[in-house]
Amino acid sequence: VLWMKVPTRFNRTLKEQVIHGRIFNNIEEVREAVRNFVEVYNEHWRVEKNGFLTPAEARRAWSNQEAGDYKLVSGKLVAVHGWVGVFWF
């Protein structure tokens, strides 16, 4: 099912980047590590499925704050003009 791919991929990335290979002393350390990762992921992590926008950028585009700058192409959000990552559209 297509809609399950995004959360499944996020959970895999979270485990790889935050959980695996670390020893936490208590649940609060786990929560803090996850909170920090989610903030970095949302604000800085470029996602191919979003046309190499961060989740925060994609969310703003979807909410029409930047709707004129992006369009949906083959299920991916891409820039109509300007720089996105290192790609010129």
Side-chain angles (χ1 to χ4, degrees):
V1 179
L2 183 61
W3 64 270
M4 286 297 294
K5 289 184 179 183
V6 173
T8 300
R9 181 65 185 126
F10 173 81
N11 287 335
R12 178 179 163 194
T13 301
L14 172 68
K15 290 175 190 176
E16 290 171 350
Q17 298 294 318
V18 177
I19 306 298
H20 294 165
R22 290 189 59 188
I23 297 173
F24 297 97
N25 294 314
N26 55 52
I27 190 66
E28 192 52 43
E29 287 184 4
V30 176
R31 289 180 179 140
E32 182 178 349
V34 170
R35 274 193 294 269
N36 290 339
F37 176 76
V38 168
E39 181 179 338
V40 168
Y41 183 88
N42 284 332
E43 298 298 329
H44 303 287
W45 206 281
R46 302 249 171 228
V47 179
E48 182 178 4
K49 246 186 164 8
N50 292 342
F52 295 98
L53 299 174
T54 68
E57 291 167 339
R59 195 174 307 114
R60 285 190 294 272
W62 278 107
S63 67
N64 294 324
Q65 291 178 9
E66 301 171 13
D69 295 335
Y70 302 95
K71 65 180 180 178
L72 197 60
V73 176
S74 300
K76 295 182 182 181
L77 198 60
V78 297
V80 175
H81 59 77
W83 286 96
V84 176
V86 295
F87 302 99
W88 180 256
F89 294 88

